[in-house]
Amino acid sequence: MIVQTDWFSILPFLIAIPIAIKTKQVLPGLFAGLLAGSFLLQPTLAGGLETLIRFLVKGLIDENNIKIILFLYAFSGLVGMIKISGGIRGFVEEASVRIQNKRQALLLTYLSTVGTFSAPSFRFVTIAPIMRALLKKVKMSTQELGFVIETTATPIIVLIPIATAFVGYMTSIVDIAVSNENINADPYDLFLRSIPFNFFSFVMILLGIYLSFFHHSKSTQDSNPEKIGKSGDDEDDWHTCDPAVGRDLPEKPWNLLVPLALVVVLTLIFTWWDGYKKAGGFAAAFIKADVMDAMLIALVFTVLFTFLFFRFQKTKTSDLLNSFVIGGNDLMSVIVLLAVVWGLSSVTEALGFSAFVTRYSSWIPPSIVVPLLFLFGAAISYFIGSAWGTWGILMPLGISMAAASGIYLPLVIGAVFASGTFGAFASPLSDDTNTIARILNLSVIEYARYKLKPALIAAGITAVLYAGTVFFF
């Protein structure tokens, strides 16, 4: 095998990023980078393909990576069962009847994060239909409404350290990068310590609160009044905005609340117990615990309990199993993305990526590394529309530059996560933008254009904060 320690090591990234931007899909770019790196290591047809497969398999058979895959699939499967049982529709029906004015509706949007923080798409299908049903009472333009809902989704969820669809992936990305640098640190602990440095999320949350409670719009109409008329004249239109709230489903809000409460409570209990066995004491237990193990055990228990809970309600076994599999399959694209990211990280490390960054990054002043990293990542995430893809591409570079320049690791990790969050929020290609636009019956391009200005303002503030913070760590 040929091992390089020169500029060849960055070729996979130089190939992956332009292809991802050109195709507007992150997976082709990452796979092309992995393929290129494999052939650089073994420049023959059979050798290159064999190397590619070996790196993919290496990532997939890793014990921690298998746990992450199981967690993602089971979590999405649980959501599938909740949908088919009428949990989401029941919650939406109850809320739309009880909410009477704009303030109540906005308070519900923020408070409901406590129970629906597991994934952005989950937030959208529980909250957006409620707000669409109450559009006349809320008296906000639909674009403003979408903006407020989105600020309570990805920007908040990336800050929550347990029981989300993001935690396993984010921890895995950190783990890959620090392992490549031979840094002896717990990846989950680094993720926890990076949360205060995800400045973009905090700025967007504050903007959302301002727009919700303190900003008075001059007009409550969108740029396309005809669309608003169609979505606002009939408040029952929201039943058709997503299959999870369709009229053919039962109305059982407890089918949403019980499983979500159970998985959160059990995660905390199992996390404490795992750490208590290792360290004793209350605070020390949470520090020493294997959180990924605890989350997976809590999730498996919740899935089994939820299955029996729904069967007790006479939901057919075949319907539950099908909904679990269909729900789990919804995240297969993410699981495939993870496998390619793991492979790409391994192949670039075999090419000597860390050594290359260490050797040639010294000409960049450490004081501007973090803001530049954030702005570069924000640009990538905007053009590919994927926070997860951006994190996979940028985290190895960020950790390598931090190690070479002596920059505080949690600060760099927070900046990388912030850069991906920008794209998930602002990009017209992101799942968040497209899901909200579909549910609220908005033009994707017009809605993305509407929220780009505040997102850019937040990005500018974030870059300034990084430029100042680097001097204190």
Side-chain angles (χ1 to χ4, degrees), residues 141-211:
S141 75
T142 318
Q143 291 179 334
E144 285 180 309
L145 198 57
F147 180 87
V148 169
I149 294 171
E150 274 205 78
T151 58
T152 68
T154 297
I156 289 181
I157 293 170
V158 295
L159 303 177
I160 298 174
I162 61 168
T164 77
F166 283 14
V167 172
Y169 182 87
M170 296 170 83
T171 304
S172 173
I173 295 300
V174 175
D175 188 22
I176 293 169
V178 296
S179 297
N180 289 346
E181 291 295 321
N182 296 314
I183 297 173
N184 184 21
D186 179 70
Y188 183 76
D189 179 62
L190 285 174
F191 165 59
L192 284 180
R193 289 193 283 144
S194 76
I195 290 174
F197 299 108
N198 191 334
F199 295 144
F200 180 79
S201 287
F202 291 110
V203 175
M204 285 310 308
I205 292 168
L206 292 174
L207 281 176
I209 293 173
Y210 167 75
L211 183 59

Side-chain angles (χ1 to χ4, degrees), residues 300-444:
V300 171
F301 185 95
T302 302
V303 168
L304 294 174
F305 172 86
T306 302
F307 181 86
L308 295 175
F309 182 51
F310 292 166
R311 278 294 296 127
F312 183 76
Q313 301 173 34
K314 308 299 183 184
T315 306
K316 293 181 179 179
T317 299
S318 59
D319 290 342
L320 290 174
L321 292 177
N322 288 337
S323 61
F324 180 85
V325 172
I326 292 171
N329 289 345
D330 284 342
L331 274 191
M332 281 306 298
S333 60
V334 172
I335 292 172
V336 172
L337 176 66
L338 258 177
V340 177
V341 167
W342 291 328
L344 178 61
S345 179
S346 296
V347 80
T348 53
E349 187 55 29
L351 285 165
F353 178 72
S354 296
F356 172 82
V357 173
T358 301
R359 182 182 301 176
Y360 295 107
S361 64
S362 58
W363 62 272
I364 304 177
S367 59
I368 66 170
V369 166
V370 180
L372 280 180
L373 194 65
F374 166 74
L375 292 173
F376 179 57
I380 293 174
S381 66
Y382 181 81
F383 286 109
I384 68 177
S386 171
W388 299 48
T390 303
W391 298 336
I393 292 171
L394 209 58
M395 190 62 74
L397 174 63
I399 297 294
S400 293
M401 295 186 73
S405 304
I407 302 173
Y408 187 54
L409 274 181
L411 176 61
V412 171
I413 293 169
V416 173
F417 286 142
S419 68
T421 306
F422 172 84
F425 182 89
S427 174
L429 302 174
S430 77
D431 290 340
D432 291 9
T433 300
N434 283 270
T435 302
I436 279 289
R438 173 177 57 80
I439 294 176
L440 295 181
N441 196 26
L442 288 166
S443 162
V444 173

Side-chain angles (χ1 to χ4, degrees), residues 21-74:
I21 292 174
K22 177 66 176 178
T23 61
K24 297 179 174 59
Q25 297 287 330
V26 66
L27 189 56
L30 291 174
F31 186 80
L34 172 58
L35 187 64
S38 299
F39 276 99
L40 285 173
L41 289 168
Q42 287 286 359
T44 64
L45 179 60
L49 293 177
E50 181 184 359
T51 302
L52 181 146
I53 293 170
R54 181 162 53 81
F55 279 120
L56 285 175
V57 172
K58 177 185 175 183
L60 289 171
I61 64 175
D62 180 85
E63 181 181 352
N64 289 328
N65 292 348
I66 291 174
K67 291 177 183 178
I68 291 168
I69 291 172
L70 288 174
F71 178 84
L72 290 173
Y73 194 93

